[in-house]
Amino acid sequence: MFRTLSQRVWPSRTVLVREKHTLPDLPYDYNALEPVISAEIMQLHHQKHHQTYVTSLNQAEEKFLEAKEKNDLKTMIALTSQLRFNGGGHINHSILWQNFSPKGGEPEGDLLKAIEANFGSFDTLKNGLSSSAVSLQGSGWTWLGYNKSTNSLAVATCANQDPLEPTTGLVPLLGIDVWEHAYYLQYKNVRADYVKNVFKIINWKDVATRLATARQ
Amino acid sequence: MFRTISQRLLPRCMSMRQKHTLPDLPYDFNALEPVISAEIMQLHHQKHHQTYVNMLNQTEEKFMEAKEKNDLKTMIALGPMLRFNGGGHLNHSIFWQNLSPNGGEPEGELLEAINKDYGSLENMKNIFSSATVAIQGSGWGWLGYNKTTKTLAITTCANQDPLEPTTGLVPLLGIDVWEHAYYLQYKNVRADYVKNLFKIINWKDVAVRLASAKQ
């Protein structure tokens, strides 16, 4: 309603009305993913790390719009790094919380068919995702993504909080966060154990829904 | 002596490569408390740094095997592993020396250089802290020395990229902001870790590095 009013009162000037990003709720309690991921990690990861990305993203967008108003192109460009890092952090973690479920399960139906068509078997996919996640240097994410051009699945990695689709064009289906904050309090330096265990809590229905949507 | 014999007996033999080893800490694991916990020091040294050393040795071995076969593609493919693990070994070897339970304050030529290039120690620390806290992802903040311009410089490197091979700056003081360096104690509050770290800097070591770089 606010947008329409501004267009009627000032028909010659479009005022950019920006909705602030907000931290999405988790679809389960902090302790729901134990013993795979501790409540302590879930709470810090959600309320501190993801919240900070949301807050910083809102700040970066506000500064960007102010710079745009002044036609300050240098500042707009300088802000893209903050936009990518915090925007990516918000996008990635919003997907992650939905990718998890205490009940876990297995892929089925069209998703399973696609996995078998592209990787041979579910086990081969798991091995591919795992080795990619474990060998990632520094902070980043390993993804199972969907390539719309070739109608195929792919395993890809992104550094830091680079979001999959803007960076590679692949549609994100399932993400594995290997920033140390995702596992260190519980698994210390043994990232491999964390990655192995994470497969027990994947919400394959959510992954299947994302694939179905991407294929539309 | 072994080398001489092997050179006489096997004139075309592989070069004798010395393996890298994990350097000892110059203090106990608990010596840097309460700034850095013993648990972090032990994991950081015995697990993280040790792994960089092991992987560096493995990578160098594979590199030499590839070189023997003139397999250039493999030599090139091994580059990232060499950089990551070699950098990890270089960086942490400097880091353990950069820290001390009774580090003191900068003095003499080091303090002069800091005052000349940054106005004051406080100003240098502020710039160094902001740059380091703002690193996106894993990496290191560095106080380095530019041999060309004969000035100090503050910069950051991603992941385990080693300062000198990456930028040409000689490393004087590094701040590790990989989450494993502080998370068990400081959780997501990297700023508190960086602030506290200044209480345990071994400024004598930093001064020695500067003096060596100036030679």
Side-chain angles (χ1 to χ4, degrees):
Chain A
M1 194 252 220
F2 186 64
R3 267 179 246 224
T4 317
L5 185 65
S6 71
Q7 278 163 5
R8 276 195 259 136
V9 174
W10 299 290
S12 61
R13 191 162 170 265
T14 308
V15 175
L16 291 162
V17 180
R18 196 180 63 77
E19 305 266 340
K20 280 191 190 237
H21 300 279
T22 55
L23 182 69
D25 288 330
L26 294 190
Y28 35 72
D29 289 337
Y30 286 125
N31 62 3
L33 304 178
E34 288 190 336
V36 174
I37 305 181
S38 68
E40 189 186 18
I41 288 181
M42 289 306 291
Q43 187 160 353
L44 279 162
H45 206 172
H46 182 245
Q47 287 185 353
K48 300 290 179 185
H49 292 273
H50 189 174
Q51 179 67 72
T52 300
Y53 291 126
V54 169
T55 306
S56 299
L57 172 60
N58 285 330
Q59 286 175 11
E61 284 189 354
E62 191 149 342
K63 288 184 189 166
F64 188 93
L65 290 177
E66 283 167 12
K68 175 92 181 67
E69 286 286 304
K70 299 184 219 158
N71 276 325
D72 180 356
L73 182 57
K74 282 196 218 168
T75 300
M76 286 159 67
I77 291 171
L79 284 165
T80 56
S81 164
Q82 285 290 308
L83 218 64
R84 179 169 113 191
F85 183 63
N86 295 296
H90 180 39
I91 292 171
N92 294 340
H93 289 87
S94 299
I95 297 171
L96 185 69
W97 310 138
Q98 302 293 326
N99 276 169
F100 286 150
S101 162
K103 302 185 196 87
E106 298 269 321
E108 17 176 79
D110 280 353
L111 173 61
L112 182 57
K113 285 201 195 105
I115 288 171
E116 286 168 347
N118 291 133
F119 299 99
S121 70
F122 177 43
D123 269 349
T124 306
L125 169 63
K126 278 206 283 188
N127 290 339
L129 282 170
S130 300
S131 40
S132 165
V134 171
S135 63
L136 198 153
Q137 293 180 354
S139 302
W141 293 66
T142 290
W143 292 96
L144 174 64
Y146 175 70
N147 186 328
K148 293 205 267 197
S149 314
T150 59
N151 189 27
S152 59
L153 301 181
V155 170
T157 59
C158 284
N160 300 333
Q161 293 297 350
D162 291 352
L164 186 69
E165 197 163 359
T167 309
T168 68
L170 296 170
V171 177
L173 306 180
L174 168 63
I176 301 180
D177 184 355
V178 290
W179 278 65
E180 285 171 330
H181 66 240
Y183 62 89
Y184 204 87
L185 291 177
Q186 200 175 337
Y187 294 89
K188 309 298 190 298
N189 61 304
V190 194
R191 191 194 282 182
D193 281 357
Y194 156 70
V195 171
K196 186 174 166 193
N197 281 341
V198 134
F199 281 102
K200 298 175 187 166
I201 52 164
I202 302 301
N203 182 354
W204 292 105
K205 284 190 171 48
D206 176 67
V207 181
T209 303
R210 291 177 192 277
L211 177 61
T213 305
R215 275 172 160 172
Q216 277 166 8
Chain B
M1 187 226 180
F2 185 62
R3 259 181 251 224
T4 318
I5 291 175
S6 69
Q7 277 162 6
R8 277 194 259 135
L9 291 179
L10 304 151
R12 284 180 302 145
C13 85
M14 276 167 60
S15 53
M16 302 297 292
R17 193 180 65 74
Q18 303 271 349
K19 279 190 194 247
H20 299 280
T21 55
L22 182 68
D24 288 330
L25 294 186
Y27 35 72
D28 290 337
F29 287 127
N30 64 3
L32 304 178
E33 288 189 339
V35 175
I36 306 181
S37 67
E39 187 187 18
I40 288 180
M41 289 306 292
Q42 189 160 353
L43 278 162
H44 206 172
H45 182 249
Q46 288 186 345
K47 300 290 180 186
H48 293 274
H49 190 173
Q50 180 69 75
T51 301
Y52 290 126
V53 169
N54 295 346
M55 297 304 289
L56 174 60
N57 286 330
Q58 281 181 32
T59 304
E60 284 190 354
E61 192 149 342
K62 288 184 189 168
F63 188 94
M64 297 308 286
E65 283 167 12
K67 174 89 180 73
E68 284 288 304
K69 296 184 218 156
N70 276 325
D71 180 356
L72 182 57
K73 283 195 218 169
T74 300
M75 286 159 67
I76 292 170
L78 287 167
M81 285 298 275
L82 207 67
R83 179 168 113 190
F84 184 64
N85 294 293
H89 180 39
L90 285 169
N91 294 338
H92 290 86
S93 299
I94 295 170
F95 194 49
W96 310 136
Q97 302 294 325
N98 276 168
L99 303 176
S100 164
N102 24 273
E105 294 283 326
E107 21 175 75
E109 287 192 21
L110 173 60
L111 184 57
E112 276 169 35
I114 290 171
N115 287 335
K116 170 168 107 23
D117 292 326
Y118 295 100
S120 68
L121 177 62
E122 267 314 292
N123 196 38
M124 187 277 277
K125 285 204 270 187
N126 287 340
I127 295 171
F128 197 176
S129 300
S130 325
T132 302
V133 171
I135 289 174
Q136 294 179 353
S138 303
W140 292 69
W142 289 99
L143 176 68
Y145 178 70
N146 185 326
K147 293 206 270 196
T148 312
T149 59
K150 294 187 171 40
T151 53
L152 299 179
I154 286 169
T155 191
T156 60
C157 284
N159 298 335
Q160 294 297 351
D161 291 352
L163 186 69
E164 199 162 357
T166 308
T167 69
L169 296 170
V170 176
L172 306 180
L173 170 60
I175 297 184
D176 185 355
V177 289
W178 277 65
E179 285 171 331
H180 64 240
Y182 62 88
Y183 206 86
L184 291 177
Q185 202 176 333
Y186 294 90
K187 307 299 189 296
N188 62 303
V189 194
R190 189 192 273 181
D192 281 357
Y193 156 70
V194 171
K195 186 175 168 193
N196 280 343
L197 208 60
F198 281 104
K199 299 176 187 168
I200 52 166
I201 301 301
N202 182 354
W203 293 106
K204 283 190 171 51
D205 175 67
V206 181
V208 166
R209 292 177 191 277
L210 178 60
S212 302
K214 279 173 159 178
Q215 277 166 9

